[in-house]
Amino acid sequence: MKTRVTEQLGIAYPIIQGGMQWVGLAELASAVSNAGGLGILTGLTQPTPEALREEIVRCRAMTDRPFGVNLTILPTVKPPPYAEYVRAIVDSGVRIVETAGNSPREFIKTFKDHGITIVHKCTTVRHALSAERNGVDMVSIDGLECAGHPGEDDVGGLVLIPVAARALKIPVIASGGIADGRGMAAALALGAEGINMGTRFCATREAPIHDNVKQALVNGSERDTALIYRTLRNTARVYRNQIAHQVREMEYRPGGCRFEEIRPLVIGTRGRAALQGGEVDGGIISAGQSIGLIDDVPTCAELIGRMVADCRRRLHIASGWAGEGHDVRV
Ligand SMILES: Cc1cc2nc3c(=O)[nH]c(=O)nc-3n(C[C@H](O)[C@H](O)[C@H](O)COP(=O)(O)O)c2cc1C
């Protein structure tokens, strides 16, 4: 397949595995890259910049294909040492970075000076345009369906993707709600030049999470997610488990609640334990509406292979289909 995304990232298929806290380890990232997509290590899953350097070395031992590192810039009271994580990425010779959360503006020059391709992930067209002006190379745009933070505007991918593709000159990667060849074909037809997936990649053999969580994704439906932190204007879409219910009850009780009151329920260590220990009601688990499209736990190679085949079939049926003004070949 050929789009500006495959060309600029040096990958066979325009399929990206987005950064995922506690999930984006070398096992998954290398499996996605070996299958022809782009695997991404999650920078802040590593407790220190030094540990990230080691994880990059480990990933490189598992694949000779390109892979990226996600840097999620969060609005926290006690921020991690971002500049040191950036230094670890640059020194390790990583060629692709996925930034997310707050604007990556202060790090763009460093990345560019080292020839690193920057994929910025955001949830609104105005943020995407601002990232384009600041010099990022492409944007992933997350619709309301996505796992993690869909923003506060509540625009689904069916509108968000074509609006973004129309507004931006740099390539757009569609993210949120995609889990199969149908979604991939739709995203390309809407003007995207690649897709980004999180939830679907959690239900693969190589995802380093407990089988109970993978089975919960297989058994669940598109209705099994919940939006939390909406009252705090930091909305997150998560698996609808007991913790998510409790958080929502606290948020929507008369008078609402402060984050401090929710914190013990949602701390990262509980989320990590839920994902890795398999206690699916034990902590917050990010998950998107594409749960409703997940029926099995294939290898990354099986998943990518069948998605590409199905996407091709669907776009070839639409005979004469061509990319949105760009040279796109499926
Ligand atoms: C378990 C999990 C953890 C995630 N953690 C992060 C993260 O730390 N940083 C980030 O930028 N995105 C994170 N995401 C979002 C994904 O990178 C991706 O944008 C999103 O999952 C796309 O929507 P989809 O799940 O519908 O495919 C996470 C997603 C999941 C499922």
Side-chain angles (χ1 to χ4, degrees):
M1 286 187 164
K2 178 175 174 286
T3 70
R4 289 186 294 173
V5 170
T6 60
E7 296 285 288
Q8 290 176 31
L9 300 181
I11 54 178
Y13 308 118
I15 300 178
I16 299 171
Q17 165 250 311
M20 289 187 273
Q21 184 66 312
W22 315 128
V23 186
L25 301 177
E27 285 76 8
L28 180 61
S30 63
V32 173
S33 290
N34 284 333
L38 183 80
I40 294 189
L41 296 174
T42 309
L44 296 185
T45 292
Q46 300 303 323
T48 61
E50 197 43 53
L52 176 59
R53 286 172 199 259
E54 287 164 20
E55 189 68 3
I56 292 168
V57 170
R58 213 164 68 82
C59 195
R60 205 163 270 143
M62 296 161 84
T63 183
D64 54 7
R65 308 271 184 96
F67 62 88
V69 175
N70 166 284
L71 190 71
T72 304
I73 304 168
L74 299 163
T76 47
V77 187
K78 215 175 126 228
Y82 285 115
E84 289 174 41
Y85 277 93
V86 168
R87 185 43 56 201
I89 292 168
V90 168
D91 289 350
S92 303
V94 169
R95 312 301 304 161
I96 301 160
V97 164
E98 178 194 57
T99 54
N102 283 2
S103 168
R105 198 168 25 214
E106 64 179 299
F107 304 120
I108 288 179
K109 184 170 181 326
T110 308
F111 288 138
K112 298 271 52 134
D113 286 349
H114 291 84
I116 293 174
T117 302
I118 307 169
V119 182
H120 182 60
K121 191 166 60 188
C122 54
T123 60
T124 70
V125 176
R126 60 187 191 284
H127 288 139
L129 283 167
S130 145
E132 180 179 64
R133 277 193 302 275
N134 287 330
V136 309
D137 299 285
M138 44 189 92
V139 294
S140 277
I141 192 140
D142 259 323
L144 175 65
E145 307 90 334
C146 76
H149 292 278
E152 311 304 321
D153 286 357
D154 294 353
V155 182
L158 214 49
V159 170
L160 189 62
I161 299 160
V163 171
R166 196 175 58 187
L168 292 154
K169 293 185 195 65
I170 56 175
V172 170
I173 297 156
S175 183
I178 302 170
D180 56 24
R182 285 175 292 208
M184 182 174 175
L188 295 176
L190 290 172
E193 291 180 65
I195 60 161
N196 181 66
M197 301 191 296
T199 307
R200 176 68 267 201
F201 277 121
C202 288
T204 58
R205 297 255 286 279
E206 295 91 342
I209 58 176
H210 199 281
D211 278 344
N212 290 356
V213 179
K214 297 181 189 182
Q215 277 313 312
L217 297 176
V218 168
N219 296 336
S221 83
E222 65 280 8
R223 299 179 67 241
D224 285 325
T225 71
L227 293 177
I228 59 170
Y229 309 152
R230 168 114 301 174
T231 59
L232 308 169
R233 290 198 62 77
N234 185 27
T235 303
R237 187 179 293 284
V238 300
Y239 179 58
R240 191 146 67 97
N241 62 8
Q242 281 175 22
I243 299 275
H245 278 299
Q246 285 179 46
V247 170
R248 282 179 59 90
E249 270 172 21
M250 290 171 75
E251 279 193 76
Y252 292 104
R253 74 190 176 197
C257 72
R258 290 173 302 114
F259 183 71
E260 285 314 310
E261 297 170 71
I262 303 176
R263 187 194 295 277
L265 288 173
V266 302
I267 47 170
T269 43
R270 285 184 79 150
R272 178 180 207 161
L275 279 166
Q276 295 176 350
E279 236 245 76
V280 293
D281 283 307
I284 288 296
I285 298 175
S286 293
Q289 293 179 329
S290 68
I291 291 178
L293 297 168
I294 296 174
D295 297 325
D296 62 357
V297 182
T299 64
C300 290
E302 284 162 356
L303 175 65
I304 289 177
R306 77 186 184 205
M307 282 184 71
V308 167
D310 193 29
C311 170
R312 279 193 169 125
R313 196 171 56 78
R314 285 170 194 277
L315 291 179
H316 286 149
I317 290 169
S319 62
W321 181 80
E324 182 88 344
H326 303 292
D327 184 14
V328 173
R329 276 177 237 150
V330 295

